[in-house]
Amino acid sequence: MTLDLEAIYIDLHRNPELSFQETRTAGVIAAHLTALGIEHETGIGKTGIAAVIRNGDGPVVWLRADMDALPVKEETGLDYASTARGIDPEGTDVPVMHACGHDMHVTAMLGALEQLQATTDKWSGTIVAVFQPAEEYGSGAQAMIADDVLTRFPKPTIVLGQHLAPLPAGTIGVRSGAQMAASDGLHVVLHGRGGHGSRPDTTIDPVVMAAATVMRLQTIVSRETDPREMAVVTVGSMHAGLKNNIIPATATIDISLRYPNDTARQGVMNKVEHIIKAEALASGATEEPTIEILHTLPPTINDLEATDRLIFAWETAFGEDAVLDPGMFTGSEDVSWLATEAGVPLVYWFWGGVEPEAFAAAMAAGTAEADIPSNHSPFFAPILHPTIERGVDALVIAAREFLN
Amino acid sequence: MTLDLEAIYIDLHRNPELSFQETRTAGVIAAHLTALGIEHETGIGKTGIAAVIRNGDGPVVWLRADMDALPVKEETGLDYASTARGIDPEGTDVPVMHACGHDMHVTAMLGALEQLQATTDKWSGTIVAVFQPAEEYGSGAQAMIADDVLTRFPKPTIVLGQHLAPLPAGTIGVRSGAQMAASDGLHVVLHGRGGHGSRPDTTIDPVVMAAATVMRLQTIVSRETDPREMAVVTVGSMHAGLKNNIIPATATIDISLRYPNDTARQGVMNKVEHIIKAEALASGATEEPTIEILHTLPPTINDLEATDRLIFAWETAFGEDAVLDPGMFTGSEDVSWLATEAGVPLVYWFWGGVEPEAFAAAMAAGTAEADIPSNHSPFFAPILHPTIERGVDALVIAAREFLN
Amino acid sequence: MTLDLEAIYIDLHRNPELSFQETRTAGVIAAHLTALGIEHETGIGKTGIAAVIRNGDGPVVWLRADMDALPVKEETGLDYASTARGIDPEGTDVPVMHACGHDMHVTAMLGALEQLQATTDKWSGTIVAVFQPAEEYGSGAQAMIADDVLTRFPKPTIVLGQHLAPLPAGTIGVRSGAQMAASDGLHVVLHGRGGHGSRPDTTIDPVVMAAATVMRLQTIVSRETDPREMAVVTVGSMHAGLKNNIIPATATIDISLRYPNDTARQGVMNKVEHIIKAEALASGATEEPTIEILHTLPPTINDLEATDRLIFAWETAFGEDAVLDPGMFTGSEDVSWLATEAGVPLVYWFWGGVEPEAFAAAMAAGTAEADIPSNHSPFFAPILHPTIERGVDALVIAAREFLN
Amino acid sequence: MTLDLEAIYIDLHRNPELSFQETRTAGVIAAHLTALGIEHETGIGKTGIAAVIRNGDGPVVWLRADMDALPVKEETGLDYASTARGIDPEGTDVPVMHACGHDMHVTAMLGALEQLQATTDKWSGTIVAVFQPAEEYGSGAQAMIADDVLTRFPKPTIVLGQHLAPLPAGTIGVRSGAQMAASDGLHVVLHGRGGHGSRPDTTIDPVVMAAATVMRLQTIVSRETDPREMAVVTVGSMHAGLKNNIIPATATIDISLRYPNDTARQGVMNKVEHIIKAEALASGATEEPTIEILHTLPPTINDLEATDRLIFAWETAFGEDAVLDPGMFTGSEDVSWLATEAGVPLVYWFWGGVEPEAFAAAMAAGTAEADIPSNHSPFFAPILHPTIERGVDALVIAAREFLN
């Protein structure tokens, strides 16, 4: 191996970048691709990269890794913990952290490309590796598609991708069919009327409007969803005011919605809009709230046949215990756009990064939620080994499976 | 008159500065004082100024004007509207506006000093004019006291001050006894546990904790206060999270409290603390909320005898209709510290800045709340005349009343 | 004295009757009036009584006492505590208690009539004593007016009345001007859609609709009322459902509103209606809530001149310390209808029933709210002496004051 | 056939009885059993009946039907709609309706017993038919067990039962494994302090305490439950107060909880208790809420092998399209106690009562929730045919399947 994957990972982890700002990350990736002699183009969909390894006739397998980090303040206490900061789309200076493992995704992809490049005798066809920006905004895949990634490069016969998850290191989690939820991100502005904190009666208080709205939004899941169906309504962000004694004119809330399919989506979207407007009415607002859809993520549906093939291949390589059904994830992804736009199958899987004994102990103690930091947590910290190796191998085996 | 008060006002209005950052404002004031030949010291309590006019034996009247502006984005549409920005104590870049009229306070004080300086034949004693910083933080008067303003300058026999209010221009509003409320400002951090927006069950959601807390805090006024007593619980600011799909670890709320006296203060403070802790418990929080008192403002109590003297003096000068009882104001002030610390009487009054016919029309139409922008509103825009003149005269007459 | 007032009080206390059901009470009153030889008519406004003592020329003073009790389960532990039950207007069997002291009002009125009858040498004119039903429903005075009480009896020149209050026994509490609040009682039906408790998504849950409505109604007082003005929004009753596992089709809430005057009334009424409808919308209700005004009570305004005369008369008789200004009461009364309908002055006062040392101790300890049961409390228990005597004397002195 | 099943159904429907009050219903059943010559005992578990048909050696199949009705006011508009009323456990007079189809369960059971009695050549063994009281209270099965039904009658080798459901008439809905949820019913008393509606500050308002509690309970499902797991927290009943202007001393809420298994049960129970106590704290309650578990229902788990046998038998008899997997139901049952107490397998299935074309039309229009009344709805109205016949046949086929 030429690449020092551990060093690459630690460097990426220390230097996280927010969505569509992955310029340093893309520079690092391009440098390694160049060093490996792999053909690639940069700047696709703003900061994305596509790399190609051509190896005779055969299928075209697309492998996808996402690159962006999150506005989270790292609290892992690791030597290589991030202290980076960035400017978010609203111009606010925020801490930045790879709290979702995309640094590991990039690292494993680079490792896999090196191996695939070195073992062209074992497969034939074409590999396209996509380093995608802005998965966290749900818009990076579409940005690359809008920038013609599907026509500028060999069209896929299948799209593959993987994501780090709070599973035991060494394991792969995958299931046929519905693997991840559909999702929308909403940005809502509630319009009140500002004034002095001592005279609430001269104002329309947007803080109370926001609070009542958040409480009411809970009822969509608790009362208006079939208890057997999955739905999530999360208000991830709520902002209003600058000072305790000034009632501000507006409040903003950012909502993340999850559902298993498009029918459920329509129902929940209607209810969210309905509640937001009614609660503004209850506050006596004279202006309707502004509701903006920031992004729409499709459900991630794994192709049945292709998934079964991969499960068999991985079980053969890693042992049967290393491949498990993680159930449907309520998280969402924009990887599907690449496959649905091209009209080809997708397989998207998870791989674990948690120290196996710690994982087992937490499960036994029933303290998994408290003790195993999930994605987006400020404590998210995959162990390096065998996480890196298993991520590389999972990709290599999967790619070859469809290139024989 | 030497000073062009209108030009001074417009300049100050265009160049507002946040609390304890009033360096340009202090510079402008000092320049005019120097031009008028009035003795003064700067940098008292960080950015404050005290000026002295000595005129033989007699009482020592302190006149106080505050200088700071607010993090409000001006929306008056005036030619001289502020487009200024500043950095608030948390390092955030914010818009700044004189939305509380302190620019007018400074202007009227400069005008009054010029007149008093020019009419030393009409009074004897000493005038100390205090240009105070950071009234909006409720800590500027204490900062000047801590910087020995009361001992470095002739000790007051009385403290006088005035504030612009949404009353008709030309009028003075004042009452004996309780004139303004006591107040505390609280900064509260609610501690939850962060995580991915799609897995709320792995988190302790601080957004919902904050929303439930805000809703419950309403009951202090609606259920736990004697309906005949004044109390205000305003959550002026609420912040949590950076992104719709990340559940943050904490939320902050900033609360402004108002009460007529110290007994009521204790009751409300207890209830606020009680509710905040109980709602954190209901959320299953494992860490108690952090509650910090940012500032404590005493009630503003006007001396009975001194107020009666001033009312008579103003009625004589301006006509009986020009002096009215505005009732108790629910707003708060830190001017009292100067008088209570010195153990002397205080009179603090309001004067109007609203075009009288517009005021009368709004009252008649019952649309005062909507049509007359109150202090701290982004639309707060006093008319220049006779507001400036009446502010000057009110101060001059008041000062002389106690210097004869 | 012929009448044993203590025995009368105890008998009435043991036998409380709900509004418009005061048949036994009216019977007892009529029996005593007959025994005293006082002319009277019964059945006015269903169960009311008017008695007349004619004593030559002069003014006509109306004295009013109300007779009805409340659906409260007595918990005083007194020997003569009520164990009575009654059927409320919705047909429900409820406990009944004189928790508002109307038994004392009737007792004192009978004692006063006996004295006035016995001392006709000390006054001249006409006394009309009104024993009114259904004050608690706010509709008894109007019922008697509708039954022509004002034309069937000598028209008043003044209307006087008194109410027991949690003041020290021996004291009178009265003030000129606004003495009690205006009030409305609302009955609201929220329409949802019922179903099985395990399938909330097939229903429109009226329990959650009611809960959200109650929480939002708090904001009328906390956010939408000038902090210096009095307003009360109490949901005194809330009912929905019969079983934990059936989601009912409707919920009802009963609301009591208080305000100082008609302008405030209109504002609060609008906001209540607004919030109820908006919260039904937020629940996705397909039918608008039904809002019914059960009763409307005017503000109780004491005539300035007449009140001053009475204060002087009582201070002369009882000592200056025995007459105090209790402030405005947030409770409401329908006694005003008698005076406003006749276009004559009203004086309405309170008298105390709390053991004076216990009262002083509770005030000193700051435990008045916990230790002194207020009207409508299940622990409301006036001491018998001197409460009875002071109630009699207050009425006698007041009547004579206007009959000389 | 001897029995006129349609007439039996209509009679039972017109004469519904609340739980543990099924005396008339039991009388009707006993009369028919006597007429059929079937051995039986009455008064088991207060109002239950067990009937036995002995037919040589072989297994012992228990068939179970429940008998009780609900406090629901029928609004079907049917000729034979119920106008019955009953007295609930708290002594309240309530409307009563067979809104859950237990009248149909009894009818089908009588029809099945007649057929089984008439066809003893086709099976051998013993049939025990259990007519159970108080399924709606979740305590009838336990009452019969406490009354030794399992030892007084031949011990089962399998327990079978069926329930009417909003499925197309003619269909059977059944699944192996988890068929219905576990459930608890809680009765909660919130202790405040009563007082006059105009003085909320002298009280601890239990109405607001209840409202805040209901709003907070929503977060158990919306925030504290894995979105992929089933949980239901329904407040089916909420009661406080008698009058708009009296703040009551207490409020009661009745809660129905649902979960798939015992681990989830413990988590939800803890959270419910936690929230109720914390919200009482937030109200300043001086007495902790009283939480009583009214009943606990186990999950209904269908035996895998036995269920597969029945599915095959029904598909053979009714056609493959007539047997469907209805998914897990979030409703709960106490039928399991009979099987788990005896340590034998259970199969519990649903059969449809909705006119098939109306069902199909509502599904196609996406209006199923609005147009197909579910169990416990006041509009629940199964069509008579083929519902009665299919219920009879399903039981007969099922019983014979295990008696060959």
Coordinates of all heavy atoms in Angstrom, one line a residue, chain B residues 328-370:
Chain B
M328 N -47.7 54.0 36.0 CA -46.4 53.4 36.2 C -46.0 52.7 34.9 O -46.8 52.2 34.2 CB -46.6 52.3 37.3 CG -45.3 51.6 37.6 SD -45.6 50.3 38.9 CE -44.0 49.5 38.8
F329 N -44.7 52.8 34.6 CA -44.2 52.1 33.4 C -43.7 50.8 33.8 O -43.1 50.6 34.9 CB -43.0 52.9 32.8 CG -43.5 53.9 31.8 CD1 -44.6 54.8 32.0 CD2 -42.9 54.1 30.5 CE1 -45.0 55.7 31.1 CE2 -43.3 55.0 29.6 CZ -44.3 55.8 29.9
T330 N -43.9 49.8 33.0 CA -43.4 48.4 33.3 C -41.9 48.3 32.9 O -41.3 47.3 33.2 CB -44.2 47.4 32.6 OG1 -44.3 47.7 31.2 CG2 -45.7 47.4 33.1
G331 N -41.4 49.3 32.2 CA -40.0 49.2 31.9 C -39.2 49.5 33.1 O -39.7 49.8 34.2
S332 N -37.9 49.4 33.0 CA -37.0 49.5 34.1 C -35.8 50.4 33.8 O -35.4 50.5 32.6 CB -36.5 48.2 34.7 OG -37.6 47.4 35.0
E333 N -35.1 50.8 34.8 CA -34.0 51.8 34.6 C -32.9 51.5 35.6 O -33.2 51.0 36.7 CB -34.5 53.2 34.9 CG -34.8 54.1 33.7 CD -33.5 54.5 33.0 OE1 -32.4 54.4 33.7 OE2 -33.5 54.8 31.8
D334 N -31.7 51.9 35.3 CA -30.7 51.7 36.4 C -30.3 53.1 37.0 O -29.4 53.2 37.8 CB -29.4 51.0 35.9 CG -28.6 51.7 34.8 OD1 -29.1 52.7 34.3 OD2 -27.5 51.2 34.5
V335 N -31.0 54.2 36.6 CA -30.7 55.5 37.1 C -30.8 55.5 38.6 O -30.1 56.3 39.3 CB -31.7 56.6 36.5 CG1 -33.1 56.4 36.9 CG2 -31.2 58.0 36.8
S336 N -31.7 54.7 39.2 CA -32.0 54.8 40.6 C -30.7 54.5 41.4 O -30.5 55.0 42.5 CB -33.0 53.7 41.0 OG -34.2 54.1 40.7
W337 N -29.8 53.7 40.9 CA -28.6 53.4 41.7 C -27.8 54.6 42.1 O -27.3 54.7 43.2 CB -27.6 52.5 40.9 CG -28.1 51.1 40.6 CD1 -28.2 50.5 39.4 CD2 -28.5 50.1 41.6 NE1 -28.7 49.2 39.6 CE2 -28.9 48.9 40.9 CE3 -28.6 50.1 43.0 CZ2 -29.3 47.8 41.5 CZ3 -29.0 49.0 43.6 CH2 -29.4 47.8 42.9
L338 N -27.8 55.6 41.2 CA -27.1 56.9 41.5 C -27.7 57.6 42.8 O -27.0 58.0 43.6 CB -27.1 57.8 40.3 CG -26.4 57.4 39.1 CD1 -26.7 58.3 37.9 CD2 -24.9 57.3 39.4
A339 N -29.1 57.6 42.8 CA -29.7 58.2 43.9 C -29.7 57.4 45.2 O -29.4 57.9 46.3 CB -31.2 58.6 43.6
T340 N -30.0 56.1 45.1 CA -30.0 55.2 46.3 C -28.6 55.1 46.9 O -28.5 55.1 48.1 CB -30.6 53.9 46.0 OG1 -29.9 53.3 44.9 CG2 -32.1 54.0 45.6
E341 N -27.6 55.0 46.0 CA -26.2 54.9 46.5 C -25.8 56.1 47.3 O -25.1 56.1 48.3 CB -25.3 54.6 45.3 CG -23.9 54.2 45.7 CD -23.9 52.8 46.3 OE1 -24.9 52.0 46.1 OE2 -22.9 52.4 47.0
A342 N -26.3 57.3 46.8 CA -25.9 58.6 47.4 C -26.9 58.9 48.6 O -26.7 59.8 49.3 CB -26.0 59.7 46.4
G343 N -28.0 58.2 48.6 CA -29.0 58.4 49.7 C -29.8 59.7 49.5 O -30.1 60.4 50.4
V344 N -30.0 60.1 48.2 CA -30.7 61.3 47.9 C -32.0 61.1 47.1 O -32.1 60.0 46.5 CB -29.8 62.3 47.2 CG1 -28.6 62.6 48.1 CG2 -29.4 61.8 45.8
P345 N -32.8 62.1 47.0 CA -34.1 61.9 46.2 C -33.8 61.8 44.7 O -32.8 62.3 44.2 CB -34.9 63.1 46.5 CG -34.2 63.9 47.6 CD -32.8 63.4 47.6
L346 N -34.7 61.2 44.0 CA -34.7 61.0 42.6 C -36.0 61.5 42.0 O -37.0 61.3 42.5 CB -34.5 59.5 42.2 CG -34.7 59.1 40.7 CD1 -33.5 59.5 39.9 CD2 -35.1 57.7 40.6
V347 N -35.9 62.2 40.8 CA -37.1 62.4 40.0 C -36.7 62.0 38.5 O -35.7 62.5 38.0 CB -37.6 63.8 40.0 CG1 -39.0 63.9 39.2 CG2 -37.8 64.3 41.4
Y348 N -37.5 61.1 38.0 CA -37.2 60.6 36.6 C -38.5 60.7 35.9 O -39.5 60.2 36.3 CB -36.7 59.1 36.7 CG -36.1 58.6 35.4 CD1 -34.9 59.0 35.1 CD2 -36.8 57.8 34.6 CE1 -34.3 58.6 33.9 CE2 -36.3 57.3 33.4 CZ -35.0 57.7 33.1 OH -34.5 57.3 31.9
W349 N -38.4 61.4 34.7 CA -39.7 61.6 34.0 C -39.5 61.2 32.5 O -38.5 61.0 32.0 CB -40.1 63.1 34.1 CG -39.1 64.1 33.5 CD1 -39.1 64.5 32.2 CD2 -38.0 64.7 34.1 NE1 -38.1 65.4 32.0 CE2 -37.4 65.5 33.1 CE3 -37.5 64.7 35.4 CZ2 -36.2 66.3 33.4 CZ3 -36.4 65.5 35.7 CH2 -35.8 66.2 34.7
F350 N -40.7 61.2 31.8 CA -40.7 60.9 30.4 C -41.1 62.2 29.6 O -41.8 63.1 30.2 CB -41.8 59.8 30.2 CG -41.4 58.6 30.9 CD1 -42.0 58.3 32.1 CD2 -40.6 57.7 30.3 CE1 -41.6 57.1 32.8 CE2 -40.2 56.5 31.0 CZ -40.7 56.3 32.2
W351 N -40.6 62.2 28.4 CA -41.2 63.3 27.5 C -41.5 62.7 26.2 O -40.9 61.7 25.8 CB -40.3 64.5 27.5 CG -39.2 64.7 26.5 CD1 -39.3 65.5 25.4 CD2 -37.9 64.1 26.5 NE1 -38.1 65.4 24.7 CE2 -37.2 64.6 25.4 CE3 -37.2 63.2 27.4 CZ2 -35.9 64.3 25.1 CZ3 -35.9 62.9 27.1 CH2 -35.3 63.4 26.0
G352 N -42.5 63.3 25.5 CA -43.0 62.7 24.3 C -42.3 63.0 23.0 O -41.7 64.1 22.9
G353 N -42.4 62.1 22.0 CA -41.7 62.3 20.8 C -42.7 62.0 19.6 O -42.2 61.9 18.4
V354 N -43.9 61.8 19.9 CA -44.9 61.4 18.8 C -45.6 62.6 18.3 O -46.1 63.4 19.1 CB -45.9 60.3 19.3 CG1 -46.8 59.9 18.1 CG2 -45.1 59.2 20.0
E355 N -45.7 62.7 17.0 CA -46.5 63.8 16.4 C -47.9 63.9 17.0 O -48.6 62.9 16.9 CB -46.5 63.6 14.8 CG -46.7 64.8 14.0 CD -48.1 65.3 14.1 OE1 -49.0 64.5 13.9 OE2 -48.3 66.5 14.4
P356 N -48.3 65.0 17.6 CA -49.5 65.0 18.4 C -50.7 64.6 17.7 O -51.6 63.9 18.2 CB -49.5 66.4 18.9 CG -48.1 66.9 18.9 CD -47.5 66.2 17.7
E357 N -50.9 65.0 16.4 CA -52.1 64.7 15.7 C -52.2 63.2 15.4 O -53.2 62.6 15.4 CB -52.3 65.6 14.5 CG -52.7 67.0 14.8 CD -52.9 67.9 13.6 OE1 -53.0 67.3 12.5 OE2 -52.8 69.1 13.8
A358 N -51.0 62.7 15.0 CA -51.0 61.2 14.7 C -51.3 60.5 16.0 O -52.0 59.5 16.0 CB -49.6 60.8 14.2
F359 N -50.8 61.0 17.1 CA -51.0 60.3 18.4 C -52.5 60.3 18.7 O -53.1 59.3 19.0 CB -50.3 61.1 19.5 CG -50.4 60.4 20.9 CD1 -49.4 59.4 21.2 CD2 -51.4 60.7 21.8 CE1 -49.5 58.8 22.5 CE2 -51.5 60.0 23.0 CZ -50.5 59.1 23.3
A360 N -53.2 61.5 18.5 CA -54.6 61.6 18.8 C -55.4 60.7 17.9 O -56.3 60.1 18.3 CB -55.0 63.1 18.7
A361 N -55.0 60.7 16.6 CA -55.8 59.9 15.7 C -55.7 58.4 16.0 O -56.7 57.7 16.0 CB -55.2 60.1 14.3
A362 N -54.5 58.0 16.4 CA -54.3 56.6 16.8 C -55.1 56.2 18.0 O -55.7 55.1 18.1 CB -52.8 56.2 17.0
M363 N -55.1 57.1 19.0 CA -55.9 56.9 20.2 C -57.3 56.8 19.9 O -58.0 55.9 20.4 CB -55.6 58.0 21.2 CG -54.2 58.0 21.8 SD -53.6 56.5 22.5 CE -54.4 56.6 24.1
A364 N -57.8 57.7 19.1 CA -59.2 57.7 18.7 C -59.6 56.5 18.0 O -60.7 55.9 18.2 CB -59.5 59.0 17.9
A365 N -58.7 56.0 17.1 CA -59.0 54.8 16.3 C -58.8 53.5 17.1 O -59.1 52.4 16.6 CB -58.2 54.8 15.0
G366 N -58.2 53.7 18.3 CA -57.9 52.5 19.1 C -56.8 51.7 18.5 O -56.7 50.5 18.7
T367 N -55.9 52.3 17.7 CA -54.9 51.6 17.0 C -53.5 52.0 17.5 O -52.5 51.9 16.8 CB -54.9 51.8 15.5 OG1 -54.8 53.3 15.3 CG2 -56.2 51.3 14.9
A368 N -53.5 52.6 18.8 CA -52.2 53.1 19.3 C -51.1 52.0 19.3 O -50.0 52.3 18.9 CB -52.4 53.6 20.7
E369 N -51.5 50.8 19.7 CA -50.4 49.8 19.7 C -49.8 49.5 18.4 O -48.6 49.2 18.3 CB -51.0 48.5 20.3 CG -51.4 48.7 21.8 CD -51.8 47.4 22.5 OE1 -51.8 46.4 21.8 OE2 -52.2 47.5 23.6
A370 N -50.6 49.5 17.4 CA -50.1 49.2 16.0 C -49.4 50.4 15.4 O -48.4 50.3 14.7 CB -51.2 48.7 15.1

